[in-house]
Amino acid sequence: MFRRQEASNSRGANGRVSETQYDAAPIPEFDKRPAFIHILLLNKTIRLFVVLGLASVVIPVFAYLFFFSREIGHDSKRDIIGTCGHPALYHIPCGYPSNLSMAECHLLGCCYTSLATCYHSLPSEHQYIIGSDWSSGTPSVLSPYRTVTPYDRPALPEVRFDVSVAEDGVGGFRFLLSKMNGTGAPSSMNTMRLETAELLVQVYSPTFFIEVKRKADQKVIFSSARGPLIMTDEFIEWTLHLGADTLFGLGRAYLEPGTKFLLLNNLNSTAVPIVMGYNANLKIYNGLIFNTPGLTEVEIVGSRLIVVRAQLGANFDLRFLAGPTPAKLFLQSKAILKNQYTPPYWAYGVHVCDQSPKRNLTNVRRNLELLLNETIMFDSHCLHNDQFWISDTMTLGTELESLRQMLRDAGKKFVPSLVLTLAYGGNPTFIDARENNILLRHPGNQLAYQGRVRNRTVAYIDWRTTSRSANLSEWLDTQWQKVVNLGADGYTLEEASPRDERNSSLPWPKQLLYQPDHLNDSLVELLPWNTILSDSSQLVLSQHNDLGVRALEAIQKRIDPGNLLIAGSYGLNSPVAVLPANVSATWISLRSEVDRVIGLSMAGITFTGTPICGNAPLGNASASEELCIRWYQFGSLLPLFRVTADRTPDRFSRFGRRVMHAILRKRFSLLEYLHTLILEDAPYLRPMFYHYEEAANFTTELWEQFMIGDALLVAPVLLPQMSQIAIYFPESFYELWGGQAMPGNDVLQYAVVESDLPMFLRPGYTVPLRDIVEELVQLENGTAAPVTAELSRLKPLYLVGAFECNARRWRCSTSGRLLLQTGFLLEFGAILDERLIISVRANVSEVEGATLRQLACSEVATLNVTIGSVQLYGHPNSSQPLLHDIEYDFCQQEAKQVEFVNSHRKGPSDSIASTS
């Protein structure tokens, strides 16, 4: 595939043996009896059948290859530097469009088949060459092997290549391809570091390829040698290989080979450019992170090759994550992303927003009064998601002020939705933005582009850091003074990424350098493809994925850290609560949301949610009650729970309302466990392979069930009218709420009814739960209020655990932890032997100890740190749960240990037990 010089004393420069040597040892007497193989070959009948068998296979193959197939070699008049005979699974499409003729394909330096497909040879002719003066350890300057790319554009004449070690020193490498005429390469990367303690980067020359190898066994775990590297002034195509048998990422729990993923579309304005994979042979996980500011397509070839085609800015930044476990992949990505988001505790509550097509404050008031009078559990309300445009005056007025006060009186938060596009016209906000030249422009007249959003004519802010950043900052400071007047507890950012409801201007073939087959469908309702940025002739398309992210960053600088911030547009480095927009209320969408949230969690984006029962306009249709119940069940497990006002429990039947209230009560019971995962910055939802790699044949493609942290297995019901679902249990689990034992290493057909959310507890783990059995909480002033996230913390705790036992099943244990707040940790566990010993210990930060104790022990305490009882499953000699009162009170005693008789003990003698 490529050449490397290797020294050898026994071979000359031409690779032949330089000297012939003879063995002078005597020849031993040989056995004169014929071998069995000779007996077979001397038989004429057998020889005839062998020859005919070989001929029947070889002759048709060669006839096909030389007379019908064009897969052997390029055009006969061209020099051959690579083979065309490699398996079709490794074929990378060459050129655009896909219906090139044989002559056109050969002119591109590519291979052609009788199936009229044009693909790159292996290695491809479209590569870069390292200069002869390059020495290992210094940045290299690359030049193209071919000056013209398959896209009829000239290749970049010079590209700088840098390598550095990842931030944690052992987690992988950073590869940077930069334009020489820009400032893409950071000054800190003046030398190339090609190795860590465990890994080595091999850079091949003269044709440029890179490989990452493990030092221990020289196994290749990453390579760029299996496809082309094409770079123009505005485009890059690079083929990457993780050696993986299973891929996940791009915001999904599983990536199907043979598919393409467009990280720019009208349904989700967020790009998640992380791909991770599992190598079944080496039993390791590794991953890639790359930058995607604009139009980006990722193709997963049948051989699991990853082909990235993207708009190119100043550079293309690629991070290799070494793994080798999913847990280490998570830590390595978080070391790069630094995007942990820990909002106030009330953010875990239920958030309601009116999204009816017409904003009508009379309807908003009526719906809000119904929510309050019907004791529906919710924590915040937006009033209406179309009420607060940043270009409006933002004055509340009498009606809005009374609605906000109604929320305040009921102990609810006000989280308005901010629409970040500008109403086009004579309003001061638009005029200021136009005079500051910070608006996206029409390509024809260079004036502010006029689009259509929410039945208004609008203009769009260019949120990037540009030569006019000072103008943008000054403009936003002025507008934010109006937002401050709302007195909000948090914000949801709407329309941060540019959208145009009337867009019908789609590109013709070859108007874009590279045009994915399904691009036009994805461009519907985005800005026209040829809209340009505020300060250059560059297309908005090349920066689209960054615009919403930059808007988010600008807003974050201006809000209090204690406020909740929800956004649909976010970047990998954005600490924000994530909620997608325009999710339809269908079963397919529900399944897609499960896939998406698991994928985001593995990429390190943990504080996320799903729009309950969808948030796309329904039109004349309505969401079924069964679908909404199942969506409530899945959404109740996520940190962010947001529902539209027409899908709150009071909008359904009496049965639906009762089920939804039960779901919310269980959510509030589990919040402390969910909160602990977020504070510890651990993977939130985990695919089954995260913990059970040894069962890879079951777990690598299994995403319909997942783990929440270490302790809980969940299998949500994702199809209508299901009476049973298949659940894979890699070990014995216990039903969380009742303790029913599930056999391990088996797929069980688990019976379900409409109100069921199957949840199971893993042996060896204990989870803390708040004791919430009804919708109301009794307050000290004698009144009752519906449960909220903050009020749920006034309820006492109880523990539910499952024993993990030794091989002889006479000594068992379980443990868990609860991080109430940073610096305030509860650790608890139980040991079952001759006796049952249950212990609880609090660890409080010495620096903030007094303040933290005030939260739990003062007259105005907001935190109940008492544990009433413990419920334990998995006793080796009894199928019944063990239930014991322990009456732990942090304010009275920070550590407590209680002992109980093990009435079901059937283990060894006491003397043996005491020495165990």
Side-chain angles (χ1 to χ4, degrees):
M1 188 181 299
F2 40 80
R3 301 183 298 276
R4 292 184 59 191
Q5 295 181 355
E6 296 185 4
S8 175
N9 295 327
S10 62
R11 295 180 180 270
N14 59 3
R16 297 180 179 178
V17 178
S18 58
E19 182 180 354
T20 303
Q21 297 180 353
Y22 296 94
D23 189 353
I27 300 174
E29 183 69 22
F30 59 88
D31 189 349
K32 296 182 176 63
R33 291 174 298 176
F36 181 69
I37 186 63
H38 297 152
I39 295 175
L40 293 178
L41 293 177
L42 288 172
N43 187 298
K44 292 183 179 180
T45 304
I46 294 176
R47 286 206 312 268
L48 176 62
F49 278 102
V50 170
V51 171
L52 290 177
L54 291 173
S56 65
V57 174
V58 174
I59 293 174
V61 169
F62 275 87
Y64 171 76
L65 291 177
F66 286 100
F67 295 100
F68 299 100
S69 175
R70 302 292 184 181
E71 294 187 5
I72 301 298
H74 303 284
D75 185 83
S76 59
K77 298 180 181 179
R78 295 195 47 77
D79 294 332
I80 300 175
I81 68 164
T83 178
C84 293
H86 52 290
L89 286 175
Y90 290 90
H91 288 182
I92 306 299
C94 177
Y96 176 81
S98 57
N99 57 346
L100 296 174
S101 67
M102 182 190 303
E104 291 172 325
C105 179
H106 286 161
L107 284 174
L108 297 177
C110 293
C111 307
Y112 194 83
T113 73
S114 56
L115 300 176
T117 58
C118 186
Y119 63 96
H120 287 272
S121 60
L122 188 65
S124 173
E125 289 194 21
H126 295 278
Q127 292 289 354
Y128 273 75
I129 307 298
I130 293 182
S132 59
D133 58 343
W134 174 73
S135 61
S136 179
T138 61
S140 57
V141 178
L142 313 177
S143 58
Y145 179 82
R146 278 177 165 264
T147 58
V148 178
T149 69
Y151 301 103
D152 296 331
R153 303 288 176 88
L156 274 177
E158 289 185 321
V159 175
R160 171 171 163 159
F161 172 66
D162 294 84
V163 182
S164 64
V165 175
E167 279 83 345
D168 59 4
V170 296
F173 299 94
R174 178 187 183 189
F175 305 111
L176 197 66
L177 296 174
S178 310
K179 296 178 182 178
M180 293 295 291
N181 59 352
T183 58
S187 58
S188 60
M189 296 179 69
N190 291 326
T191 60
M192 294 210 296
R193 294 185 58 191
L194 301 179
E195 62 180 306
T196 66
E198 299 176 356
L199 304 175
L200 173 70
V201 175
Q202 178 72 56
V203 181
Y204 290 91
S205 63
T207 305
F208 169 74
F209 299 116
I210 53 176
E211 288 182 345
V212 177
K213 299 179 180 180
R214 299 195 303 185
K215 288 182 177 180
D217 53 14
Q218 292 298 298
K219 295 291 186 181
V220 176
I221 58 176
F222 169 73
S223 174
S224 69
R226 302 194 180 190
L229 170 59
I230 301 168
M231 297 182 70
T232 73
D233 189 57
E234 57 200 25
F235 176 79
I236 182 171
E237 176 178 336
W238 204 3
T239 300
L240 312 168
H241 189 230
L242 282 172
D245 302 282
T246 303
L247 293 174
F248 54 98
L250 304 177
R252 291 169 174 83
Y254 175 68
L255 297 178
E256 184 73 32
T259 53
K260 296 181 179 181
F261 301 88
L262 198 63
L263 303 186
L264 168 70
N265 57 72
N266 56 358
L267 296 179
N268 191 343
S269 58
T270 300
V272 187
I274 296 183
V275 178
M276 299 177 179
Y278 173 65
N279 186 313
N281 182 36
L282 301 178
K283 297 188 181 302
I284 63 170
Y285 291 83
N286 47 37
L288 299 171
I289 302 177
F290 46 90
N291 60 330
T292 55
L295 170 63
T296 302
E297 180 188 75
V298 181
E299 180 177 4
I300 308 297
V301 182
S303 56
R304 275 72 173 179
L305 290 176
I306 304 162
V307 185
V308 181
R309 302 181 181 96
Q311 297 280 331
L312 180 63
N315 58 54
F316 184 79
D317 191 352
L318 178 69
R319 312 291 183 100
F320 171 74
L321 309 178
T325 65
K328 287 191 175 181
L329 273 181
F330 179 86
L331 295 175
Q332 290 156 8
S333 66
K334 293 296 284 186
I336 295 171
L337 304 180
K338 299 180 176 65
N339 61 359
Q340 183 181 8
Y341 184 59
T342 52
Y345 196 83
W346 63 265
Y348 293 93
V350 176
H351 308 287
V352 181
C353 189
D354 194 326
Q355 294 186 198
S356 53
K358 295 181 179 179
R359 65 178 181 185
N360 184 314
L361 291 182
T362 301
N363 290 337
V364 171
R365 173 179 287 275
R366 181 170 60 250
N367 294 335
L368 181 56
E369 288 174 345
L370 284 174
L371 282 178
L372 295 174
N373 294 334
E374 294 290 331
T375 65
I376 302 299
M377 293 176 282
F378 74 101
D379 292 64
S380 81
H381 205 292
C382 82
L383 299 184
H384 196 284
N385 79 323
D386 196 39
Q387 187 67 49
F388 303 102
W389 287 57
I390 199 168
S391 55
D392 291 347
T393 59
M394 295 284 183
T395 54
L396 286 175
T398 305
E399 184 69 11
L400 282 172
E401 178 60 39
S402 66
L403 290 174
R404 188 181 68 170
Q405 191 59 43
M406 187 184 300
L407 289 172
R408 293 278 190 265
D409 293 341
K412 310 299 182 184
K413 308 294 184 182
F414 176 40
V415 183
S417 295
L418 298 181
V419 181
L420 296 183
T421 49
L422 309 183
Y424 193 98
N427 65 82
T429 303
F430 166 74
I431 294 173
D432 285 350
R434 183 179 59 188
E435 292 178 352
N436 281 288
N437 296 312
I438 57 174
L439 297 174
L440 302 180
R441 297 178 297 151
H442 190 283
N445 55 25
Q446 304 291 305
L447 300 177
Y449 174 76
Q450 299 180 41
R452 191 78 177 171
V453 171
R454 304 187 180 196
N455 293 320
R456 292 195 193 187
T457 301
V458 298
Y460 305 88
I461 296 295
D462 185 349
W463 293 99
R464 301 169 307 120
T465 301
T466 68
S467 58
R468 303 191 179 107
S469 296
N471 295 8
L472 175 61
S473 181
E474 182 180 350
W475 172 86
L476 185 56
D477 285 339
T478 302
Q479 311 314 315
W480 198 252
Q481 292 304 313
K482 300 183 300 183
V483 177
V484 171
N485 294 335
L486 296 178
D489 302 291
Y491 306 93
T492 301
L493 303 186
E494 306 269 359
E495 311 290 356
S497 291
R499 185 176 67 90
D500 186 1
E501 295 169 355
R502 65 184 181 190
N503 174 32
S504 59
S505 174
L506 301 176
W508 299 341
K510 293 199 174 183
Q511 282 188 311
L512 292 172
L513 175 60
Y514 173 73
Q515 204 162 313
D517 296 335
H518 53 308
L519 174 61
N520 282 353
D521 293 338
S522 295
L523 285 183
V524 172
E525 290 197 358
L526 296 182
L527 292 189
W529 70 273
N530 56 353
T531 309
I532 58 177
L533 298 172
S534 64
D535 61 343
S536 71
S537 59
Q538 192 176 5
L539 298 180
V540 170
L541 199 64
S542 67
Q543 299 292 327
H544 181 278
N545 292 337
D546 260 359
L547 290 176
V549 175
R550 301 297 167 245
L552 170 61
E553 291 175 352
I555 299 300
Q556 281 179 311
K557 294 176 182 177
R558 291 164 173 82
I559 68 170
D560 190 295
N563 287 344
L564 171 63
L565 188 61
I566 304 172
S569 297
Y570 60 94
L572 290 176
N573 304 99
S574 302
V576 67
V578 173
L579 188 79
N582 203 27
V583 175
S584 59
T586 65
W587 288 96
I588 293 176
S589 293
L590 172 57
R591 292 175 62 84
S592 178
E593 282 294 280
V594 176
D595 189 11
R596 179 189 66 85
V597 173
I598 296 174
L600 290 182
S601 182
M602 284 301 295
I605 301 171
T606 52
F607 204 97
T608 185
T610 177
I612 304 300
C613 209
N615 58 1
L618 281 176
N620 295 324
S622 60
S624 73
E625 181 170 284
E626 183 188 6
L627 171 62
C628 287
I629 287 174
R630 296 305 186 195
W631 216 312
Y632 263 76
Q633 289 170 344
F634 170 62
S636 70
L637 306 173
L638 304 182
L640 181 63
F641 189 101
R642 193 170 188 255
V643 62
T644 59
D646 59 341
R647 295 163 205 179
T648 52
D650 57 309
R651 299 302 184 95
F652 295 93
S653 69
R654 184 173 299 177
F655 168 78
R657 175 173 173 169
R658 185 172 67 251
V659 171
M660 290 173 181
H661 273 298
I663 293 168
L664 294 180
R665 288 198 304 271
K666 288 183 177 179
R667 169 180 175 77
F668 286 122
S669 295
L670 277 167
L671 280 188
E672 296 288 3
Y673 175 71
L674 308 184
H675 181 53
T676 297
L677 293 175
I678 296 296
L679 285 182
E680 293 182 335
D681 203 15
Y684 190 80
L685 296 192
R686 307 171 184 182
M688 296 300 294
F689 62 71
Y690 189 94
H691 291 291
Y692 299 102
E693 179 189 342
E694 68 279 3
N697 56 329
F698 282 104
T699 59
T700 51
E701 300 178 13
L702 180 63
W703 59 266
E704 291 91 347
Q705 65 182 70
F706 48 84
M707 300 289 294
I708 302 180
D710 294 314
L712 297 179
L713 185 155
V714 183
V717 181
L718 304 175
L719 292 172
Q721 301 178 354
M722 297 295 290
S723 60
Q724 61 181 16
I725 60 174
I727 305 176
Y728 170 62
F729 293 100
E731 59 179 313
S732 296
F733 275 76
Y734 298 88
E735 199 276 324
L736 177 62
W737 307 105
Q740 179 185 1
M742 302 295 157
N745 196 26
D746 198 6
V747 177
L748 177 68
Q749 296 297 323
Y750 188 82
V752 294
V753 296
E754 195 168 350
S755 58
D756 283 344
L757 172 60
M759 298 182 67
F760 307 92
L761 183 59
R762 186 180 177 189
Y765 291 88
T766 300
V767 295
L769 300 170
R770 291 288 179 186
D771 190 8
I772 298 175
V773 295
E774 57 183 15
E775 287 79 40
L776 297 177
V777 174
Q778 299 296 325
L779 303 179
E780 291 184 356
N781 59 9
T783 62
V787 175
T788 63
E790 289 180 325
L791 291 178
S792 71
R793 304 196 94 180
L794 299 177
K795 289 287 190 177
L797 291 159
Y798 69 99
L799 306 178
V800 178
F803 285 121
E804 182 178 41
C805 300
N806 63 4
R808 298 175 65 184
R809 295 183 60 78
W810 54 265
R811 181 179 175 87
C812 309
S813 63
T814 180
S815 62
R817 53 196 282 128
L818 168 58
L819 191 57
L820 291 159
Q821 193 163 315
T822 301
F824 196 167
L825 175 69
L826 283 184
E827 295 177 301
F828 34 78
I831 296 175
L832 181 68
D833 197 337
E834 181 183 358
R835 299 176 65 81
L836 172 64
I837 302 173
I838 301 173
S839 58
V840 182
R841 177 177 296 277
N843 295 309
V844 183
S845 167
E846 294 182 3
V847 177
E848 301 179 3
T851 303
L852 295 174
R853 286 181 175 83
Q854 287 291 315
L855 295 176
C857 305
S858 67
E859 293 182 358
V860 289
T862 58
L863 198 57
N864 187 330
V865 192
T866 62
I867 301 176
S869 62
V870 177
Q871 187 167 310
L872 300 170
Y873 308 139
H875 192 292
N877 304 314
S878 174
S879 60
Q880 297 299 314
L882 303 181
L883 182 60
H884 294 283
D885 293 328
I886 60 172
E887 302 301 332
Y888 170 80
D889 187 344
F890 164 78
C891 298
Q892 301 295 326
Q893 188 178 5
E894 292 191 5
K896 185 174 184 179
Q897 179 174 299
V898 291
E899 297 186 13
F900 301 93
V901 174
N902 182 0
S903 57
H904 303 287
R905 179 175 169 80
K906 296 179 182 179
S909 64
D910 293 347
S911 60
I912 297 176
S914 62
T915 61
S916 62

